[in-house]
Amino acid sequence: MGSSSIIPIRLPLLRLVRVGSFFSSFLISLWPMLLLPQLARTASAAPAPAPAPAGDDGYQYHYNYGDALDKSLMFFEAQRSGKLSVDQRIKWRSDSGLRDGFLQGVDLLGGYYDAGDHVKFGLPMAYSTTMLAWGAVEFRKEITHLNQMGHTLRAIKWATDYFIKSHPQPDILWAQVGDGSSDHYCWERAEDMSTPRDAYKLDHEHPGSDLAGETAAALAAASLAFKPYNSSYSALLLVHAKQLFAFADRFRGQYDDSIQNAQQFYPSSGYSDELLWAAVWLYRATGDEYYLKYVVDNGAAMGGTTWGVKEFSWDTKYAGVQILLSKVLMDNSYSPYTSILKQYQAKAQYFACACLQKNGGYNVDRTPGGLLYFHEWNNLQYVSAAAFLLTAYSAYLSAANANIACPDAQLQPQDLLNFAKSQADYVLGKNPKSMSYLVGYGTNYPTHIHHRGASIPSISLLRSAVGCVRGFDAWYSRPQGNPNVIYGALVGGPNKNDGFDDNRSSYEQTEPTLSGCAPLIGLFSKLQSVYGTPAVLTGSYHNQRPAPAGHSKSAEQEAPVEFFHSITNTWADGRGMAYYRHRVIIKNTSQKASIRDLKLLIQNLSGSLWGLSSTRDGERNTYELPQGQKVLKPGGEYSFVYIQGGPQAKITVVSYH
């Protein structure tokens, strides 16, 4: 994998003038073939990049948001349950959970594992699917231009296929597979699972309006995402969405009262917001005024027009409802429901003002480094959700030539987008630790991720089963970094003082979740289209300055070089310490120019290396290709090998000709 990060560029500060203010089974079997031509036809040119807002030190920071998007999508492949498809890019994962639902007589293969564990929790999985689909709908042009719509739709479909199987009858929804308590007593790979795979369902005697409502929202949003590419699959998703909404509305109750072992992990604060959320998405997917009237008639009773919130998450959907209905209002200011829609809009503005610290003191907390701070446990999932909402709201306001009047300031659409960018940049490395909290992005990211599969060697390398206790003793507790890089995992993130403990036992900070990563797809696609500049070097965001110009190129963003890492062997010494043989392929991705005198910086290398030579100037940790291999021809490759006990070394380009 190539690595990506930032380059600070010294530019004069500009005075900005802001103008205005936003579905036949046969066809399913042919889905990939039907999809690709449509994607090709819908590709379009990207708009010219806009200047990024300057940082506190007067520098502008350009990130490769497209690379961050690609890695974020890879995280969903790492979380797949069931029989993996041939397009699986995460090679350290294999088939798992192949008997899910067997004891209950239902096929529950597929879906996603929630986080660092192996439970398929219905509520956060459905929410994550809604957010993936919202991104695909709202930023279709941007994702298509980045050639990522295929991966995005496959990520959505891995969940929606599972939801369809989980909904065999109109009033039945299989809501969870696995038990969180027993699962958390074990530290083992998904391929070795020995914990109970009990399945839990909702029905008219065991209601769950929140989970059924969220699943309805996910299927409705996904129907919109698939509509331009596979109309028959889109229609099937909509059938299930309508049935699930009717079930959720008719048989009301909280899902965690029916599935009590979920309370410890994903407790619900209520179901009214999910009913409104589902209705809004069904209105958007169908245009049926019944659903719009539902949110209008129930706005006050269900809290949509009375709750001003400062958080949007797998549990709390009010801000999403309010922003979507603001779009409905701005698209048709002559609606007969204008007065109620304006009440929703006022609450949407409350959320935006609170995030941007313009809400008369009723604001979202921030860390000293500028990160929104909601909760001690996995704070970044709330940050990614808020940043996505602000990005979508900015687009809606821009389309309507509208702005927001906050208690403390007038906000233009660009203000919302700039702030969303600041949160994304913090995640990618513009923070006091100069650390990327998106695993695999850049050269400095967490390596002790609280994730079972990532922390134990692949079953293709370590073929013996890793049981519950052995997993804790041999892998959870080891001080070395994880053997597998779980690309695109958004960890829980830093504490309220920007501190971060890269330790598996610090699960509040190092465990990734579906719900944290899902909003990133839409967010990164939009940022890449507006601000995107391919860039790769890292450094302290406080102190780094541009390198002086010279005859050799030193910005890796300019180097047509990719690194492909793989582990080709593993063994343990007499003390049980695991070692890995890493192979790295260096590829010249240019089809026209040769690369000469490539110089590499290899960090965190603790073992022996073969195939490279130390540079003649003796610079520490700096290597070059050996004599006779100094030139990489267009499309050419060269490989080298190293051995060490921890995670893979970090490799960056220093210079080349």
Side-chain angles (χ1 to χ4, degrees):
M1 292 291 168
S3 107
S4 311
S5 194
I6 68 169
I7 292 181
I9 304 172
R10 189 66 162 174
L11 292 175
L13 296 179
L14 303 178
R15 182 178 300 277
L16 298 181
V17 180
R18 302 182 178 95
V19 181
S21 356
F22 125 47
F23 168 143
S24 123
S25 58
F26 174 68
L27 285 175
I28 295 174
S29 69
L30 291 178
W31 175 78
M33 291 175 281
L34 293 172
L35 176 63
L36 296 176
Q38 290 288 343
L39 294 180
R41 286 197 294 270
T42 55
S44 57
D56 295 336
D57 57 0
Y59 283 75
Q60 292 184 1
Y61 295 86
H62 298 273
Y63 285 85
N64 189 338
Y65 304 107
D67 183 54
L69 167 60
D70 182 57
K71 289 179 166 62
S72 300
L73 285 166
M74 292 175 73
F75 174 71
F76 288 88
E77 297 186 30
Q79 297 302 102
R80 286 175 174 175
S81 178
K83 186 162 184 63
L84 302 185
S85 58
V86 295
D87 63 358
Q88 175 79 12
R89 293 181 290 174
I90 307 301
K91 301 304 182 183
W92 49 266
R93 279 298 323 282
S94 298
D95 301 343
S96 63
L98 299 181
R99 292 175 62 84
D100 283 0
F102 177 80
L103 294 177
Q104 292 77 28
V106 59
D107 175 9
L108 295 177
L109 271 68
Y112 289 108
Y113 300 124
D114 175 60
D117 52 23
H118 300 128
V119 183
K120 296 193 288 196
F121 288 109
L123 186 56
M125 193 197 307
Y127 161 78
S128 301
T129 308
T130 309
M131 297 308 294
L132 282 171
W134 192 356
V137 171
E138 213 61 69
F139 304 112
R140 176 176 290 123
K141 182 170 64 175
E142 292 85 351
I143 294 174
T144 301
H145 177 77
L146 292 169
N147 198 28
Q148 293 290 354
M149 187 56 79
H151 288 308
T152 302
L153 293 181
R154 280 188 280 272
I156 296 168
K157 193 171 187 289
W158 199 268
T160 54
D161 283 352
Y162 171 77
F163 295 149
I164 290 170
K165 291 189 290 186
S166 301
H167 183 226
Q169 298 178 33
D171 295 348
I172 292 178
L173 177 64
W174 290 91
Q176 180 177 314
V177 180
D179 169 68
S181 296
S182 62
D183 183 274
H184 287 198
Y185 280 118
C186 285
W187 194 264
E188 57 189 358
R189 300 169 295 198
E191 296 83 2
D192 293 329
M193 265 193 292
S194 59
T195 52
R197 300 298 289 171
D198 297 332
Y200 305 87
K201 71 176 179 179
L202 303 175
D203 54 30
H204 66 280
E205 293 180 349
H206 307 89
S209 302
D210 33 20
L211 199 158
E214 182 62 71
T215 309
L219 293 168
S223 74
L224 280 168
F226 277 97
K227 193 172 183 178
Y229 311 110
N230 191 333
S231 60
S232 56
Y233 187 64
S234 172
L236 176 61
L237 294 175
L238 205 50
V239 168
H240 284 275
K242 291 177 179 179
Q243 291 179 349
L244 279 166
F245 175 73
F247 168 51
D249 190 37
R250 181 179 178 188
F251 301 102
R252 295 189 181 183
Q254 290 186 196
Y255 93 102
D256 57 344
D257 288 334
S258 299
I259 307 173
Q260 295 188 5
N261 65 24
Q263 290 180 356
Q264 182 181 349
F265 306 99
Y266 287 98
S268 175
S269 61
Y271 55 77
S272 294
D273 53 334
E274 279 85 9
L275 289 176
L276 295 172
W277 179 240
V280 171
W281 277 109
L282 279 162
Y283 173 67
R284 190 166 180 182
T286 65
D288 187 339
E289 192 168 326
Y290 167 81
Y291 297 107
L292 180 58
K293 193 172 187 302
Y294 183 96
V295 298
V296 168
D297 291 347
N298 292 283
M302 291 186 172
T305 59
T306 56
W307 279 87
V309 298
K310 298 185 290 183
E311 174 184 315
F312 176 69
S313 69
W314 55 268
D315 180 43
T316 306
K317 313 304 185 325
Y318 284 118
V321 171
Q322 292 154 356
I323 288 173
L324 284 172
L325 288 175
S326 295
K327 172 178 168 55
V328 172
L329 175 64
M330 290 186 287
D331 287 348
N332 182 10
S333 59
Y334 299 102
S335 167
Y337 308 116
T338 294
S339 63
I340 302 299
L341 293 176
K342 284 184 175 180
Q343 295 177 43
Y344 277 104
Q345 183 183 50
K347 301 306 180 185
Q349 294 178 349
Y350 180 96
F351 174 83
C353 296
C355 288
L356 273 73
Q357 311 288 294
K358 305 298 182 184
N359 205 37
Y362 296 94
N363 299 313
V364 181
D365 290 338
R366 286 200 209 177
T367 69
L371 181 71
L372 290 173
Y373 193 78
F374 299 89
H375 297 284
E376 179 182 2
W377 194 311
N378 208 293
N379 180 62
L380 285 183
Q381 66 174 309
Y382 305 95
V383 174
S384 66
F388 175 91
L389 253 61
L390 293 171
T391 301
Y393 199 9
S394 171
Y396 302 157
L397 289 165
S398 293
N401 195 32
N403 53 39
I404 297 176
C406 296
D408 298 333
Q410 193 91 355
L411 295 179
Q412 304 295 332
Q414 190 65 42
D415 296 326
L416 274 63
L417 188 61
N418 287 345
F419 184 77
K421 180 185 184 297
S422 76
Q423 300 303 289
D425 289 353
Y426 186 108
V427 166
L428 295 180
K430 186 178 182 290
N431 56 66
K433 287 191 169 294
S434 297
M435 173 174 280
S436 165
Y437 294 110
L438 190 76
V439 178
Y441 182 92
T443 60
N444 183 29
Y445 50 82
T447 60
H448 298 73
I449 315 306
H450 184 92
H451 188 279
R452 287 154 176 79
S455 69
I456 306 173
S458 168
I459 197 169
S460 64
L461 296 173
L462 184 60
R463 297 183 181 277
S464 58
V466 176
C468 289
V469 176
R470 182 188 172 198
F472 275 112
D473 292 345
W475 300 104
Y476 178 81
S477 302
R478 67 195 295 266
Q480 294 85 3
N482 292 353
N484 303 312
V485 179
I486 182 164
Y487 287 101
L490 179 69
V491 297
N495 62 26
K496 63 183 179 182
N497 296 314
D498 300 299
F500 182 77
D501 182 17
D502 186 7
N503 192 312
R504 285 180 211 96
S505 62
S506 299
Y507 42 82
E508 301 95 334
Q509 295 191 317
T510 61
E511 185 171 21
T513 62
L514 295 174
S515 53
C517 289
L520 297 178
I521 309 310
L523 172 64
F524 287 149
S525 68
K526 181 62 176 180
L527 293 179
Q528 180 67 19
S529 75
V530 177
Y531 304 107
T533 297
V536 288
L537 292 179
T538 13
S540 165
Y541 84 90
H542 291 299
N543 303 318
Q544 188 173 351
R545 293 296 182 262
H551 73 282
S552 62
K553 299 179 181 179
S554 59
E556 188 180 346
Q557 93 213 43
E558 301 176 22
V561 174
E562 278 196 81
F563 302 104
F564 299 91
H565 297 254
S566 62
I567 297 176
T568 58
N569 200 2
T570 183
W571 63 92
D573 63 15
R575 298 171 299 169
M577 176 71 72
Y579 290 89
Y580 307 92
R581 182 183 186 271
H582 298 257
R583 179 173 183 245
V584 180
I585 299 174
I586 309 169
K587 182 173 182 177
N588 178 359
T589 59
S590 172
Q591 300 302 311
K592 297 179 179 179
S594 295
I595 292 178
R596 304 172 186 272
D597 302 324
L598 179 65
K599 185 184 292 188
L600 304 175
L601 175 66
I602 304 183
Q603 299 171 288
N604 300 338
L605 179 64
S606 60
S608 301
L609 179 148
W610 295 267
L612 295 177
S613 304
S614 296
T615 55
R616 285 166 291 186
D617 57 14
E619 191 173 346
R620 190 180 178 206
N621 300 330
T622 307
Y623 299 85
E624 59 189 5
L625 275 60
Q627 291 293 336
Q629 298 287 341
K630 290 289 189 180
V631 179
L632 269 180
K633 295 181 178 180
E637 297 181 354
Y638 180 79
S639 64
F640 65 92
V641 172
Y642 64 90
I643 292 173
Q644 67 182 35
Q648 68 182 41
K650 298 176 181 178
I651 307 169
T652 53
V653 173
V654 175
S655 63
Y656 72 100
H657 291 90

